[in-house]
Amino acid sequence: MAATTTVVDVLIIGAGPAGLALANWFRNSNITVLLVDKKPGPTPRGQAEGLKSTTNEIFASFGIGSQIAAESWRLEEIAVWGQSANGGIVREQVVMDKVEELGAIRETLLQQSRVEHHMLQNLLSHTNISIRYSTSPVSVVVDGSCTHEVAGYPVTVGLTRVKQSESEPNGTPTANGTNGHSHDTEYISAKYVVGCDGARSWLRKQLDVVLEGDLTDSVFGVVDLIPKTNFPDIRRVCYLRAATGTILLVPRNNKEVRLYIPVESGSALPDPKDLTLDRILAAAREIISPYALEAGPVSWWSAYRVGQRVGSHFSRRNERAFLVGDAVHTHSPKAGQGMNTSIQDAYNLGWKLRLVLQGHVPSNPQALLRTYESERRPVAQDLIAFDRGYLKLFSAQSAQFDTEFLRAMKFTTGLSIRYAKSCAVQLPSGVEDLGPSLLKADLIPGKRLQDFQAVYHADRIAERIHKRMHASGAFRIVVFAGDIAEPGLLAKSQSLGDFLANRESGLGRLTMPSVGDDAAAWQDVPVEVLMVHCAEREHVELLGLHEVYRPWSSDEGYDYWRVLADAESVLEGHGRVYERLELDRHQGRCAVVRPDGYVGAVVDVNDFQGLKSYFQGVGMVEAEPYQNGTSH
Amino acid sequence: MAATTTVVDVLIIGAGPAGLALANWFRNSNITVLLVDKKPGPTPRGQAEGLKSTTNEIFASFGIGSQIAAESWRLEEIAVWGQSANGGIVREQVVMDKVEELGAIRETLLQQSRVEHHMLQNLLSHTNISIRYSTSPVSVVVDGSCTHEVAGYPVTVGLTRVKQSESEPNGTPTANGTNGHSHDTEYISAKYVVGCDGARSWLRKQLDVVLEGDLTDSVFGVVDLIPKTNFPDIRRVCYLRAATGTILLVPRNNKEVRLYIPVESGSALPDPKDLTLDRILAAAREIISPYALEAGPVSWWSAYRVGQRVGSHFSRRNERAFLVGDAVHTHSPKAGQGMNTSIQDAYNLGWKLRLVLQGHVPSNPQALLRTYESERRPVAQDLIAFDRGYLKLFSAQSAQFDTEFLRAMKFTTGLSIRYAKSCAVQLPSGVEDLGPSLLKADLIPGKRLQDFQAVYHADRIAERIHKRMHASGAFRIVVFAGDIAEPGLLAKSQSLGDFLANRESGLGRLTMPSVGDDAAAWQDVPVEVLMVHCAEREHVELLGLHEVYRPWSSDEGYDYWRVLADAESVLEGHGRVYERLELDRHQGRCAVVRPDGYVGAVVDVNDFQGLKSYFQGVGMVEAEPYQNGTSH
């Protein structure tokens, strides 16, 4: 057996939504990445397809939001049907599929294969990232003596080529790839290995991570078809509650509807493999009766029994090995959370690896990497708790339905996620916990910055903040400077500008290039300063603001895209940022937004020490060299 | 010289914006199309890039609107600068780049090569359409004895391969391709030939069409650069009026700005070829002084002297040969009309050819084809009259500036275009002319249907009407049925439904498949019936409407996408269709919309004869077979 060795920074096992999202973090960097997948090529047809607003924000930050939005199907109304007195079914209510605080589309549909397509295309021009299909891991060793202070390659993974026939026909990785291979093994030396290899994860088993939880007691069928029916709400999301169970009906593109149909429940369940399409459709017809339902073209169907399980660990071996997505959590597909949570896991991990690999975290990088598990494992646990209760909501008519359903919509949108205090989430001094998580879209450390629309000061073009904060690996200090037509507030923003630009006593080493001032030098800066003011645009000249808000590069002149105004756009209305984030127009506030769009800290606009201590906490600034530094 | 003969329905010479737009009309048909272009491949870099809203509506109808919008740059504000008392320049006013009636973006920018890319990609899966680059016509003969009643191939065009070196480096077709070719000639037999071959059109010369008009008396430079400047409005569209002339400044993507700079004017003009970039930039600096202007990266520049000319004919040889776009009109690029007008010419011609070639116009097809010239030549003449006056608007400060500029914005948007009465435009009985063209966006025969947003009755998804009316070659009868929660209006819509569906005394032969009722049969129907009502959606059940508004197909069930409601969308606001089109909510109105989105006729909802006589006029319905038919 001939053996060759390849050296990469990050080895990603699995090129599904999680693996591709992770790889997207390493665009425009020198970090070398290898993705391997047992499948012979990109997934031709995926099961998942619900995209929540937070996931669409992630695509926007990768620069592929418009393309994905253009192909996606919208969901606007949800109808709830129950049993009628005469034994039929009756429409009980119709609610809008909308969460007011979002100010954006709550959910869209696009099949997984197209989502993967766009993420994959987005990698192709980046020579530091490569992908190999028909490739399977056979061994993994992590050198436990390698600390994070040493620039070594402690991970060694053996890879082998998969013969076409060894892949299962549906492209699912097989459970065990450690024996039966007669091909040459290639050894990969890596700094980190990440398992994005799905529910039957190979890496999970190698790392002795166990899934905690159970299988549920229902077998479901799922069918994508063009329906021939006189059911009047066939083009709405419908929950149909009948004597035999609750159907979920989700309209999609190409005239199709997806049906989730409970076929059997109880203790003596059939193996899902034994279910037939006819059996599933018969169960659907029974529930939808007296309306007729005939199947036009059926493009895909399947049957499954859901497991509700969470991995015991999300990272192992001194944060050299990570597990992401389905590899560490499984749950019902009905709330459309699977692909979303996998992509969001990857989005949480990617920037941390990037920052550490680029040397921006000289002080205790392992602490930052540890927050991947401490932030994402509770999310998976909450999701499964939610999953257990979700369908009960539809099991009987309830006076609290509206409130509860809105709560559920907010939850699945991701609005309730709030990461706990850590080196990457700084709470106000003396505060350990902000209390129960709120579903409000407010400006709170640990929560995702609410996506909002503002207009660029220079040209009045409407922009959404998450699209603006593209996934470059940079933190953003977003200065909500208030009404800077008021001299006092303008002066405050200028003082803050001095602090942000000062390389000695301020944060200039993070916000400005260390060498040169051309456009390329500016791209490597780990903290980008943005301003969102609420003054009348006519009363403020951009070039009158501190240079940190409109920096100069020697080859491209001023940067006109760092200052936004909370003002009416020409066509897209008014973003009402200050109102929605509950900001005082006559006070400055400052938010540190992490590279993944979560708020790291919120401080007053003149709390320079608060800003500095945040970056000391992350490990990007050492306490010593600064005159006013605290020992953190 | 070996000669082979290929037979196609339509031969298009030139694969620029006009030729590609024309070809897009023949997707999803059996009409064979050959595009040839002298260039070795798609244009790598095009000069034009302004896209007006009407052009973006065309892209939407081709199904490529979202992709083009996603790449396009927006223009939101226009600043006008004049000379100040102290010899410098001063901002006089800022206006929004907006026309209220549109309810949509007025103009966007995307470079021509990307526009061509999307139109080309849109053709690739259609095997009836083929493209050959490096191919040049050398001869054309049209058999004058061939009438439109005979299905013959009266056009013969000789083609030859162009050696790479024969193309000019910049890909512009050379003026004369008739001699100097030593390659084999291939002969193409075609029903129609269309010259989309640009300002130096080869076909125009063969057809003895002359350009009428003159060269202007100014030489301009145009530069795309990243500016390094302290000029405060560099990210707005600016008209800078100074002693030496008026600069037009247009911000674009990639941090670039396009400058149109008057370099010389008067009687003794230099040849544009003699201008240098330095000379052009010096002229710009002189105008923008006392502000500084240095050039960062320059991606493209050129110099030109504008001709303002219109072809004597747009069609020749019994409507067997046509000329489109720059081949028959040239004018200043400053109002951003070149690419728009070319695409709109092609959009006017394409559906007429398609309809005739598909046999849908048995009665006098030549009359319909003749409307291409009668509709588009006046547009080109108006455009040149506008072009002459446009820059005068900026030559001095004027109290009427706002009004005049808004008029100009409306004109360049295409809102003022109104085609005269013809076989394809039916005026109310007894009316010959509706008087001077208005810039209002109203519902008038001969004008483009104003694009509007409504929501689908079935699912509340917001839709824009021009996107809905995709370029399939079908007419639409849009029934503005009013508030059909009122029993009287519902009854009227049902009676109209009976007429529209009746194959004997009504329009059923146009609105319903002649054979079968599967989805494919429905696609070939030449008239599609749509409804836009303004009732509360909850008070109307879709399946309670006449079947013509929600027809059944045997394989896909009901069509849920023909009935729209003038209602609030979940996220995009309320389209206010009835208000904007000035429709009475308690009266039905009916518009016949041509395949190109122009209104052919407007009648009362119970004026069955008015509807029928329109299609008799076009030649799609013979007067005889109908009991109530008029001799038209």
Side-chain angles (χ1 to χ4, degrees):
Chain A
M1 244 206 299
T4 56
T5 298
T6 303
V7 178
V8 298
D9 292 320
V10 183
L11 175 67
I12 302 173
I13 302 172
L20 290 166
L22 185 62
N24 265 270
W25 264 119
F26 302 104
R27 292 169 307 124
N28 303 310
S29 77
N30 294 322
I31 297 165
T32 54
V33 178
L34 175 62
L35 274 133
V36 298
D37 199 303
K38 192 159 195 161
K39 296 195 305 279
T43 317
R45 176 83 173 76
Q47 306 180 198
E49 58 169 31
L51 298 174
K52 294 298 187 287
S53 61
T54 40
T55 307
N56 282 318
E57 289 162 22
I58 289 172
F59 297 142
S61 81
F62 287 155
I64 53 178
S66 311
Q67 294 94 310
I68 286 182
E71 285 186 31
S72 297
W73 191 254
R74 295 269 295 266
L75 299 176
E76 309 287 29
E77 287 182 327
I78 300 168
V80 181
W81 287 66
Q83 288 184 270
S84 67
N86 60 11
I89 54 174
V90 63
R91 185 194 289 143
E92 291 172 354
Q93 55 193 320
V94 178
V95 292
M96 279 199 282
D97 191 351
K98 181 176 188 176
V99 172
E100 204 62 57
E101 293 91 328
L102 280 178
I105 307 172
R106 198 186 77 86
E107 60 179 338
T108 59
L109 300 177
L110 184 62
Q111 58 165 290
Q112 186 177 328
S113 61
R114 294 301 299 167
V115 172
E116 291 183 13
H117 167 85
H118 288 292
M119 287 201 283
L120 185 58
Q121 289 293 314
N122 210 34
L123 300 175
L124 296 184
S125 61
H126 298 274
T127 52
N128 58 314
I129 303 167
S130 50
I131 302 190
R132 292 195 213 156
Y133 289 101
S134 297
T135 301
S136 184
V138 291
S139 65
V140 58
V141 176
V142 179
D143 176 0
S145 68
C146 188
T147 70
H148 267 85
E149 270 54 62
V150 180
Y153 292 82
V155 179
T156 306
V157 175
L159 296 181
T160 184
R161 295 285 298 170
V162 181
K163 279 192 208 146
Q164 198 72 7
S165 57
E166 290 177 40
S167 295
E168 293 183 12
N170 62 2
T172 313
T174 53
N176 194 326
T178 52
N179 52 31
H181 287 87
S182 60
H183 313 287
D184 288 350
T185 300
E186 178 185 11
Y187 290 96
I188 307 291
S189 289
K191 290 183 172 169
Y192 300 97
V193 61
V194 187
C196 302
D197 47 350
R200 290 189 274 169
S201 169
W202 173 87
L203 187 61
R204 183 181 69 221
K205 292 180 187 108
Q206 310 309 309
L207 298 176
D208 301 316
V209 171
V210 294
L211 288 181
E212 299 165 346
D214 288 303
L215 280 175
T216 56
D217 57 357
S218 295
V219 172
F220 279 83
V222 53
V223 185
D224 289 343
L225 52 70
I226 297 182
K228 299 193 284 180
T229 180
N230 57 353
F231 179 66
D233 284 355
I234 195 74
R235 296 305 307 174
R236 286 169 164 153
V237 177
C238 284
Y239 292 90
L240 276 102
R241 188 182 69 243
T244 52
T246 300
I247 282 192
L248 170 60
L249 182 162
V250 185
R252 50 209 304 273
N253 59 353
N254 297 325
K255 303 179 182 172
E256 287 189 337
V257 172
R258 170 169 289 187
L259 302 173
Y260 292 97
I261 306 147
V263 183
E264 298 280 352
S265 63
S267 49
L269 285 171
D271 189 321
K273 285 182 189 151
D274 298 334
L275 285 192
T276 62
L277 177 60
D278 284 347
R279 173 90 181 276
I280 295 168
L281 288 175
R285 270 187 214 106
E286 196 174 336
I287 294 175
I288 210 168
S289 162
Y291 296 101
L293 175 65
E294 292 302 319
V298 173
S299 64
W300 177 78
W301 70 275
S302 182
Y304 62 90
R305 186 177 171 199
V306 175
Q308 292 174 321
R309 292 164 164 166
V310 180
S312 54
H313 301 81
F314 280 32
S315 62
R316 291 292 251 180
R317 317 281 162 93
N318 296 326
E319 279 63 47
R320 290 296 182 172
F322 299 88
L323 295 167
V324 171
D326 291 352
V328 273
H329 45 75
T330 63
H331 38 80
S332 154
K334 282 204 191 171
Q337 292 289 286
M339 179 161 59
N340 290 281
T341 308
S342 294
I343 290 172
Q344 290 169 21
D345 283 350
Y347 202 65
N348 182 284
L349 176 61
W351 66 273
K352 295 170 184 172
L353 288 174
R354 179 176 173 139
L355 219 56
V356 168
L357 284 163
Q358 288 186 319
H360 287 310
V361 193
S363 169
N364 195 4
Q366 202 174 343
L368 181 62
L369 295 176
R370 217 176 275 133
T371 62
Y372 168 64
E373 177 174 296
S374 70
E375 292 184 340
R376 295 306 297 177
R377 194 160 178 270
V379 169
Q381 290 171 317
D382 286 354
L383 181 56
I384 283 172
F386 168 81
D387 198 39
R388 290 204 179 100
Y390 187 51
L391 288 186
K392 289 190 187 140
L393 190 56
F394 304 98
S395 60
Q397 222 169 341
S398 153
Q400 284 80 47
F401 178 83
D402 282 17
T403 321
E404 288 298 309
F405 190 66
L406 188 60
R407 262 187 91 82
M409 285 205 289
K410 287 182 178 182
F411 178 87
T412 57
T413 306
L415 278 181
S416 63
I417 294 173
R418 199 180 71 209
Y419 299 144
K421 182 179 175 181
S422 73
C423 66
V425 175
Q426 172 178 288
L427 299 189
S429 168
V431 177
E432 282 302 306
D433 186 353
L434 289 166
S437 174
L438 296 168
L439 290 169
K440 259 177 68 180
D442 40 13
L443 188 66
I444 295 285
K447 294 188 76 166
R448 189 163 174 79
L449 178 67
Q450 179 184 1
D451 198 23
F452 57 75
Q453 175 191 292
V455 302
Y456 284 111
H457 185 95
D459 57 19
R460 208 179 189 170
I461 290 176
E463 176 70 292
R464 295 198 72 87
I465 193 69
H466 279 284
K467 177 155 178 266
R468 172 61 185 77
M469 298 191 302
H470 51 96
S472 67
F475 283 77
R476 272 82 183 192
I477 294 177
V478 184
V479 181
F480 294 99
D483 183 355
I484 52 173
E486 295 177 15
L489 283 169
L490 182 62
K492 273 190 183 178
S493 79
Q494 309 290 56
S495 302
L496 177 60
D498 286 340
F499 169 76
L500 293 173
N502 189 311
R503 295 184 63 85
E504 301 310 318
S505 63
L507 294 177
R509 294 182 193 195
L510 298 180
T511 64
M512 311 226 293
S514 46
V515 181
D517 73 343
D518 58 4
W522 275 100
Q523 280 187 358
D524 288 333
V525 167
V527 177
E528 186 183 36
V529 177
L530 301 177
M531 177 190 278
V532 182
H533 71 73
C534 61
E536 294 287 335
R537 281 169 66 243
E538 307 87 271
H539 299 155
V540 174
E541 286 290 342
L542 185 65
L543 299 185
L545 299 179
H546 192 284
E547 185 155 355
V548 82
Y549 305 116
R550 36 100 191 159
W552 175 267
S553 82
S554 54
D555 51 352
E556 299 190 342
Y558 292 117
D559 182 342
Y560 299 98
W561 295 277
R562 288 179 172 232
V563 179
L564 297 109
D566 183 21
E568 180 92 21
S569 69
V570 173
L571 205 70
E572 288 90 348
H574 197 303
R576 307 212 175 284
V577 183
Y578 277 63
E579 197 177 300
R580 292 175 58 216
L581 299 189
E582 299 180 7
L583 294 165
D584 187 335
R585 304 169 61 86
H586 308 291
Q587 293 279 342
R589 289 290 271 174
C590 212
V592 179
V593 183
R594 312 190 319 183
D596 62 356
Y598 278 76
V599 178
V602 181
V603 301
D604 283 337
V605 78
N606 50 8
D607 180 8
F608 304 163
Q609 187 51 46
L611 286 174
K612 191 186 283 182
S613 77
Y614 177 78
F615 290 101
Q616 287 168 339
V618 176
M620 295 172 74
V621 171
E622 313 256 1
E624 295 75 45
Y626 294 93
Q627 294 164 358
N628 303 320
T630 57
S631 58
H632 191 79
Chain B
M1 247 210 293
T4 56
T5 299
T6 302
V7 177
V8 297
D9 291 319
V10 183
L11 175 67
I12 302 173
I13 302 172
L20 290 167
L22 185 61
N24 264 271
W25 264 119
F26 302 104
R27 293 169 306 126
N28 303 309
S29 77
N30 294 321
I31 297 165
T32 53
V33 178
L34 175 62
L35 274 133
V36 298
D37 200 303
K38 194 160 197 164
K39 295 195 305 282
T43 317
R45 177 80 174 79
Q47 306 181 196
E49 59 168 29
L51 298 173
K52 294 297 187 285
S53 62
T54 40
T55 307
N56 282 319
E57 288 161 23
I58 289 173
F59 297 142
S61 81
F62 287 156
I64 53 177
S66 312
Q67 293 94 308
I68 287 182
E71 286 185 30
S72 297
W73 191 254
R74 294 271 295 266
L75 299 176
E76 309 288 28
E77 288 183 326
I78 300 168
V80 182
W81 287 65
Q83 289 183 270
S84 66
N86 61 10
I89 54 174
V90 62
R91 185 194 289 143
E92 291 173 353
Q93 54 193 321
V94 178
V95 293
M96 279 199 282
D97 192 351
K98 181 177 188 176
V99 171
E100 204 62 57
E101 293 90 329
L102 281 177
I105 306 173
R106 198 186 77 88
E107 59 179 340
T108 59
L109 299 177
L110 184 62
Q111 58 166 289
Q112 186 176 328
S113 61
R114 294 302 299 167
V115 172
E116 292 183 14
H117 167 85
H118 287 292
M119 288 201 284
L120 184 59
Q121 290 292 314
N122 210 32
L123 299 175
L124 297 184
S125 62
H126 298 274
T127 52
N128 59 315
I129 303 167
S130 49
I131 302 189
R132 292 193 211 159
Y133 288 102
S134 296
T135 301
S136 184
V138 292
S139 64
V140 58
V141 176
V142 179
D143 176 1
S145 70
C146 186
T147 70
H148 266 86
E149 271 53 63
V150 180
Y153 291 83
V155 179
T156 306
V157 174
L159 296 181
T160 184
R161 294 285 296 171
V162 181
K163 280 191 208 149
Q164 198 73 7
S165 58
E166 291 178 37
S167 295
E168 294 183 10
N170 61 3
T172 314
T174 53
N176 195 324
T178 51
N179 51 33
H181 286 88
S182 60
H183 311 284
D184 288 351
T185 299
E186 179 185 10
Y187 289 96
I188 307 291
S189 288
K191 290 183 172 170
Y192 300 97
V193 60
V194 186
C196 303
D197 48 350
R200 291 189 274 170
S201 169
W202 172 87
L203 187 62
R204 182 181 70 222
K205 292 180 187 105
Q206 311 307 309
L207 299 175
D208 302 316
V209 171
V210 293
L211 288 182
E212 299 164 347
D214 288 302
L215 281 175
T216 56
D217 57 359
S218 296
V219 172
F220 278 83
V222 53
V223 184
D224 289 343
L225 51 69
I226 299 183
K228 299 192 285 180
T229 180
N230 57 353
F231 179 66
D233 284 356
I234 194 74
R235 297 304 308 172
R236 287 167 162 155
V237 177
C238 284
Y239 292 90
L240 276 100
R241 188 181 70 242
T244 52
T246 300
I247 281 190
L248 170 60
L249 182 163
V250 186
R252 51 209 302 273
N253 60 352
N254 297 325
K255 304 179 183 171
E256 288 188 336
V257 171
R258 171 169 288 187
L259 301 174
Y260 292 97
I261 305 148
V263 184
E264 299 278 351
S265 64
S267 49
L269 284 172
D271 189 321
K273 284 181 191 152
D274 297 335
L275 285 193
T276 61
L277 177 59
D278 283 348
R279 172 90 181 275
I280 295 168
L281 289 175
R285 272 188 213 104
E286 197 174 337
I287 295 175
I288 210 168
S289 165
Y291 295 101
L293 174 65
E294 292 303 319
V298 173
S299 64
W300 178 78
W301 70 275
S302 183
Y304 61 90
R305 186 177 171 197
V306 174
Q308 291 176 320
R309 291 165 164 165
V310 180
S312 55
H313 300 81
F314 280 31
S315 62
R316 292 292 251 180
R317 316 279 161 94
N318 296 326
E319 280 63 48
R320 290 295 183 172
F322 299 88
L323 295 168
V324 171
D326 291 352
V328 273
H329 44 75
T330 64
H331 38 81
S332 154
K334 284 204 191 173
Q337 292 289 286
M339 180 161 60
N340 290 281
T341 308
S342 295
I343 289 172
Q344 289 168 22
D345 283 350
Y347 202 67
N348 182 285
L349 176 61
W351 66 273
K352 296 170 184 173
L353 288 174
R354 179 176 173 139
L355 219 57
V356 169
L357 284 163
Q358 288 186 320
H360 287 309
V361 192
S363 169
N364 196 5
Q366 201 174 345
L368 180 62
L369 295 175
R370 218 175 274 132
T371 63
Y372 167 64
E373 177 174 297
S374 70
E375 293 184 339
R376 295 305 297 177
R377 194 162 177 269
V379 169
Q381 290 171 317
D382 285 354
L383 180 56
I384 284 173
F386 168 81
D387 199 38
R388 290 201 179 102
Y390 188 50
L391 289 186
K392 289 186 188 143
L393 190 55
F394 303 97
S395 59
Q397 222 170 337
S398 153
Q400 284 82 47
F401 178 82
D402 282 16
T403 321
E404 287 298 310
F405 190 67
L406 188 61
R407 261 187 93 82
M409 285 205 289
K410 287 182 176 181
F411 178 87
T412 58
T413 305
L415 277 181
S416 63
I417 294 173
R418 198 179 72 210
Y419 299 144
K421 181 180 177 180
S422 73
C423 67
V425 176
Q426 173 178 288
L427 299 189
S429 166
V431 176
E432 281 304 306
D433 186 352
L434 289 167
S437 172
L438 296 169
L439 291 170
K440 258 179 65 178
D442 41 12
L443 188 66
I444 296 284
K447 293 188 76 165
R448 188 161 174 78
L449 178 66
Q450 178 183 1
D451 197 24
F452 57 75
Q453 175 191 292
V455 301
Y456 284 112
H457 185 94
D459 57 18
R460 208 179 189 171
I461 290 177
E463 177 69 292
R464 295 198 72 89
I465 193 70
H466 279 285
K467 179 155 176 264
R468 173 61 185 77
M469 299 191 300
H470 51 95
S472 67
F475 283 78
R476 272 83 184 191
I477 293 177
V478 184
V479 181
F480 294 98
D483 183 354
I484 51 173
E486 294 177 16
L489 283 170
L490 181 62
K492 273 190 182 178
S493 80
Q494 308 291 55
S495 302
L496 177 60
D498 286 339
F499 170 76
L500 294 173
N502 189 312
R503 296 183 63 86
E504 300 311 319
S505 64
L507 295 178
R509 294 184 192 195
L510 298 180
T511 64
M512 311 226 295
S514 45
V515 181
D517 72 344
D518 58 3
W522 275 101
Q523 279 188 358
D524 288 333
V525 167
V527 177
E528 187 183 37
V529 177
L530 301 177
M531 176 190 279
V532 183
H533 71 73
C534 61
E536 295 287 335
R537 279 168 69 240
E538 306 87 275
H539 298 156
V540 175
E541 285 290 342
L542 185 66
L543 299 185
L545 300 179
H546 192 284
E547 186 155 354
V548 81
Y549 305 116
R550 38 100 193 161
W552 175 267
S553 83
S554 54
D555 52 351
E556 300 190 342
Y558 293 116
D559 183 343
Y560 298 98
W561 295 276
R562 287 179 172 233
V563 179
L564 296 109
D566 183 18
E568 181 91 20
S569 68
V570 173
L571 204 69
E572 288 90 349
H574 196 303
R576 307 212 174 283
V577 183
Y578 277 64
E579 195 177 301
R580 293 174 59 214
L581 299 188
E582 298 179 9
L583 294 165
D584 186 335
R585 304 170 60 88
H586 306 292
Q587 294 279 342
R589 290 290 270 174
C590 212
V592 180
V593 183
R594 313 191 318 184
D596 61 356
Y598 278 77
V599 178
V602 181
V603 301
D604 283 337
V605 78
N606 51 9
D607 181 7
F608 304 162
Q609 187 52 46
L611 285 174
K612 190 185 285 183
S613 77
Y614 178 79
F615 289 101
Q616 287 168 340
V618 175
M620 294 171 73
V621 172
E622 312 256 2
E624 295 75 44
Y626 294 93
Q627 296 164 357
N628 303 319
T630 56
S631 59
H632 193 78

